[in-house]
Amino acid sequence: MTFLIQGVYSFICVLGFSIILNLPRRLLFIASISGMVGWLMYIFVQNLTSNFILPAFIGSIFVGLLGELFAILLKHPATLFTIPGIIPFVPGYGIYYTMYHIVNQDFDAAMTQGATALFIAISIACGIVLATSVMRLLRPFIRQYVYKKM
Amino acid sequence: MHSKKAIEIAIKAGKIMLVNGAETYRVEETVKRVAEAGGLSSVNVFVIPTGILLSSEIDGIPATVLERISSEGLDLEAIDRVNRFARLYSSGTMTPDEALEELKILENPPKFSKRARFFFTGLAGGFFVLLSGGNFIEFFLAYWIASFTVWIFDQLTLNFFINNIIGGFIASILGLIGVLAVNRLGGSASLNTVIVGPLMTLVPGVALTNGIRDLISGELLAGSARIMEALFIAVALAFGVGLTLQLSLLLN
């Protein structure tokens, strides 16, 4: 049940952000789906572990894989799917909060928040790069499969 | 004369991509591909978020062009269109003059109407609040605050730092008023939860992640520049929000 609700929330959230980012109209639905899958994986992993890096890493791997797959199938750059897709767990709020603590002279909290945000961002970037590299290896096979079907 | 046009096309394509927030490696790849399709030899491209350097050999003499860029945030439609343009152009179906015409059109890609943007910005901010555990009253507040904040933010044409201070200030002052009103009427809403949504629409999380991605793929200069930009946007937002909180302390 929670998954269903979270799925709907994240779908609409990613849809909204896609429109802020001016995503081409035909791709809105697909980008929102990949964002939803990424977020569901994120909360799924979050329930299994107390680690803060792993959920974002796994989530972004899924976003990256789906993005690359859609990129091959629909012939658009993969960024169009990955950038809206990572938005639900991107640490934007974390870096804002870091600066906010610094402005309020709370340096301990700033350090904690800042390190967390930085490492979440690094893990997302790693996840996307990993997914891209894996798909680059698999691309010829997927292409072959798709064309055989057509 | 022909080489000059080829350089112009390559630089223009790269400029549209970079202005609209494409990743560094994609811009470099595109500029290189378009330049080589235009018949230039020994092409070298160097891209940082604030400029494109393209060098090549024309009649045996090395030539370099530098184009200064100021970025305008993310626009995925523009990136997509230039990407398609690059693919078409390098397949050789376009004359240089046609390509220049096409690029002039691509400079202003179609955008969603103001009303759609207003509506969906609210949904983005509102549902982000729900994702981070807010209740429906907080969703409602975040919806309207996000819409208005981004609407006002879009009208601002000052320097990016000042723009973001104003953005953070507007988001937090609207949030503060909304939360005070809701609590006066007997509902429950917390400022910190409400403000997550509107700030998420301004906050540079994607820029930070893209910067780190550039660093990972070896673009050290471009990556550092993007991360610095993200940090300074965050500082500006924190200034804006801090301003509101100081004001509210004064009023109390």
Side-chain angles (χ1 to χ4, degrees), chain A residues 6 9 12 16-17 19-24 39 75-77 79-80 88 90 92-93 96-97 99-100 121 124, chain B residues 23 26 75-77 80 83 87 110 112 117 120 127-128 131 136 192 199 203 205 208-209 212 235 238 241 245:
Chain A
Q6 292 283 326
Y9 287 174
I12 301 175
F17 277 105
I19 284 171
I20 297 178
L21 299 172
N22 202 20
L23 191 73
W39 175 255
K75 300 203 171 60
H76 285 280
T79 335
L80 266 62
V90 119
Y93 201 63
Y96 151 72
Y97 234 87
M99 294 309 163
Y100 176 76
I124 294 174
Chain B
E23 310 101 307
R26 189 182 297 283
D75 185 333
L76 297 174
E77 174 93 50
D80 186 37
N83 200 61
R87 205 176 324 138
F112 287 99
R117 210 173 137 81
F120 281 102
F127 276 91
F128 196 83
L131 278 185
F136 280 98
N192 274 335
L199 283 181
V203 116
L208 179 72
T209 312
I212 289 171
V235 171
V241 177
L245 295 183

Side-chain angles (χ1 to χ4, degrees), chain A residues 22-31 34 63-84 132 135-136 139 143 147, chain B residues 17 23 25-26 29-30 33 75-88 106 110 213:
Chain A
N22 202 20
L23 191 73
R25 220 159 279 219
R26 285 161 291 120
L27 307 178
L28 286 174
F29 182 76
I30 292 162
S34 79
V63 172
L65 286 176
L66 280 178
E68 291 286 337
L69 188 66
F70 291 140
I72 296 171
L73 296 179
L74 303 171
K75 300 203 171 60
H76 285 280
T79 335
L80 266 62
F81 308 105
T82 48
I83 287 187
T132 311
M135 283 308 257
R136 195 153 290 170
R139 195 181 286 169
R143 282 235 170 95
Y147 289 132
Chain B
M17 280 195 130
E23 310 101 307
Y25 78 90
R26 189 182 297 283
E29 241 175 58
T30 308
R33 188 148 51 123
D75 185 333
L76 297 174
E77 174 93 50
I79 298 174
D80 186 37
R81 286 185 178 228
V82 176
N83 200 61
R84 199 177 328 137
F85 161 81
R87 205 176 324 138
L88 269 179
L106 289 180
R213 201 177 151 187

Side-chain angles (χ1 to χ4, degrees), chain A residues 88-139:
Chain A
F89 44 92
V90 119
Y93 201 63
I95 48 174
Y96 151 72
Y97 234 87
T98 310
M99 294 309 163
Y100 176 76
H101 284 310
I102 291 179
V103 170
N104 285 320
Q105 291 172 314
D106 188 352
F107 295 109
D108 288 342
M111 189 60 214
T112 320
Q113 274 288 350
T116 315
L118 181 65
F119 277 86
I120 291 178
I122 291 177
S123 67
I124 294 174
C126 278
I128 299 274
V129 170
L130 186 69
T132 311
S133 327
V134 169
M135 283 308 257
R136 195 153 290 170
L137 286 178
L138 294 178
R139 195 181 286 169

Side-chain angles (χ1 to χ4, degrees), chain B residues 226-247:
Chain B
R226 268 182 211 240
I227 292 172
M228 278 323 274
E229 190 194 6
L231 286 185
F232 269 82
I233 292 175
V235 171
L237 289 174
F239 275 3
V241 177
L243 212 61
T244 306
L245 295 183
Q246 290 302 321
L247 267 181

Side-chain angles (χ1 to χ4, degrees), chain B residues 78-140:
Chain B
I79 298 174
D80 186 37
R81 286 185 178 228
V82 176
N83 200 61
R84 199 177 328 137
F85 161 81
R87 205 176 324 138
L88 269 179
Y89 181 71
S90 42
S91 69
T93 51
M94 251 183 232
T95 66
D97 290 313
E98 278 171 8
L100 280 176
E101 276 301 304
E102 180 76 26
L103 281 172
K104 211 167 266 170
I105 302 170
L106 289 180
E107 269 175 3
N108 295 306
K111 288 202 159 60
F112 287 99
S113 69
K114 284 228 166 82
R115 211 174 293 162
R117 210 173 137 81
F118 187 83
F119 177 72
F120 281 102
T121 312
L123 283 187
F127 276 91
F128 196 83
V129 167
L130 288 181
L131 278 185
S132 45
N135 60 30
F136 280 98
I137 298 172
E138 287 163 337
F139 163 79
F140 184 75

